[in-house]
Amino acid sequence: MPRSHTDTARTPHAAAADRRLRRALRREMPSTVGLLADARDFAAMRRYRTFAFDDHTAYLQQIEALLKTLAAQGGHTTVTLFDPEEYAAWCTTTGTDPDHPASRSRFTAHVAVTGARLTYTGQPLTTLLPELVDTAVRHATWEYATTVLATAGDCAACGTDIGRAAFDRATHLLARLLEATGPGTHHLVCSVPAGSDHLLAVLHTRTDDDGTAHHDLTAATEFTAVLAAGIALAAPGGLVLRTSASGARDRLHGWRLKDATLAPLTEAEVFAAYCTDARTGEPVAPEPDVDHRAGFPLPTDPYDDCAAHHRPRP
């Protein structure tokens, strides 16, 4: 008696077709990997019984092998930093058991949505790690700076939103600075003390002979936010500019942030800023083929007359 279709064994052809469909479906599914970047964070995770690794180097090797496997499968993989302190706080807030792999997976998915992340494109871990740490620092700086601007309040004299006015002011200052730099490749660093933190933003830009500036818009926005935070806080920040041009020595210029404007440093002040170790205060040998020059005055702007008076209400 012939067997019905319900009890007929699946053919090898059908099984192979199922495997192909699962592989195709797997390529549609994104993956997220949380990475313990340094040995201290790794050591903090070893307190959990279900955390399987006991050697950070071996852990990183396994992470890189996993990333390569995921890339070979053709899917999209996102990498984010896994912070043990943030994880513990998240578990407490959500009532989640921290000593469980599913909890770590849920936290990784949460961070990938709310925090800093990178797309894995096959780069070696020695390249990926610094990129990821830099992205995380930039993300934290952006969050802090925007919080400062959002909570600055209104001006006691005129009721103006101080955060918004500071951002507008910073936008004007950066535009005028880029217009005045002239042709070449420029590297700008803005440093602002903010309570117990220190905000730092970097912008790389290239200016053509016709004055057109080329830079990443996201980086420019982050740079502007840090400069604006310094203006809103009336903080004694600073800005330095390094210009490189073909066939010429590099030029270094500097300004201090004062009264909502960029006041040029003298040549001696620029030299001291670049040739002093910020951590120890000890002198550092100047770089060869680099000229230390005073900051140049920025073109005037109608906004200059009203930008400096905005102060928080007491």
Side-chain angles (χ1 to χ4, degrees):
M1 182 175 181
R3 301 173 65 183
S4 69
H5 71 279
T6 58
D7 58 3
T8 301
R10 293 183 59 77
T11 66
H13 177 75
D18 282 348
R19 288 194 294 271
R20 285 196 300 271
L21 290 174
R22 282 195 294 271
R23 284 196 297 269
L25 185 60
R26 180 67 187 85
R27 288 193 293 270
E28 303 287 336
M29 299 293 105
S31 300
T32 305
V33 176
L35 177 58
L36 293 161
D38 60 48
R40 185 176 61 179
D41 287 345
F42 179 85
M45 291 303 295
R46 292 194 60 197
R47 63 186 172 185
Y48 299 119
R49 178 185 54 83
T50 58
F51 186 71
F53 293 91
D54 57 12
D55 180 82
H56 189 226
T57 300
Y59 162 83
L60 292 177
Q61 291 171 345
Q62 291 299 321
I63 285 287
E64 187 161 30
L66 172 63
L67 291 172
K68 290 179 178 179
T69 298
L70 293 172
Q73 293 172 350
H76 177 86
T77 302
T78 298
V79 185
T80 186
L81 286 180
F82 194 105
D83 187 309
E85 291 185 5
E86 290 185 12
Y87 173 61
W90 178 83
C91 287
T92 299
T93 300
T94 59
T96 304
D97 177 11
D99 199 359
H100 198 285
S103 302
R104 295 191 285 274
S105 179
R106 286 178 55 199
F107 175 72
T108 298
H110 165 75
V111 173
V113 173
T114 61
R117 57 197 178 275
L118 284 178
T119 298
Y120 179 70
T121 57
Q123 63 268 53
L125 211 57
T126 51
T127 300
L128 178 64
L129 275 175
E131 290 179 349
L132 189 56
V133 171
D134 178 67
T135 300
V137 171
R138 287 175 54 189
H139 181 81
T141 300
W142 166 256
E143 285 194 331
Y144 192 106
T146 53
T147 298
V148 167
L149 298 177
T151 59
D154 298 332
C155 176
C158 65
T160 297
D161 184 315
I162 293 174
R164 181 173 298 176
F167 193 87
D168 289 344
R169 174 62 171 166
T171 301
H172 279 258
L173 288 173
L174 179 59
R176 287 154 60 189
L177 179 61
L178 292 179
E179 288 173 4
T181 53
T185 300
H186 310 291
H187 177 82
L188 296 90
V189 179
C190 181
S191 175
V192 172
S196 59
D197 290 291
H198 202 93
L199 304 181
L200 193 71
V202 176
L203 179 63
H204 302 279
T205 183
R206 187 187 81 255
T207 304
D208 296 337
D209 291 338
D210 62 1
T212 303
H214 304 272
H215 48 255
D216 180 79
L217 293 180
T218 299
T221 302
E222 293 170 352
F223 190 94
T224 304
V226 169
L227 181 58
I231 294 172
L233 294 169
L239 189 151
V240 293
L241 163 70
R242 180 171 188 148
T243 296
S244 303
S246 179
R249 292 162 60 94
D250 281 8
R251 305 190 310 273
L252 303 176
H253 301 269
W255 295 259
R256 65 169 53 88
L257 183 59
K258 182 181 180 182
D259 296 330
T261 193
L262 292 172
L265 296 177
T266 66
E267 184 175 308
E269 289 172 326
V270 172
F271 183 89
Y274 271 94
C275 299
T276 302
D277 188 299
R279 183 176 58 86
T280 65
E282 295 295 321
V284 177
E287 293 184 59
D289 300 322
V290 173
D291 292 331
H292 300 82
R293 299 185 180 179
F296 44 82
L298 300 184
T300 58
D301 188 287
Y303 192 59
D304 289 341
D305 294 334
C306 62
H309 84 273
H310 299 306
R311 291 293 182 267
R313 299 181 186 278

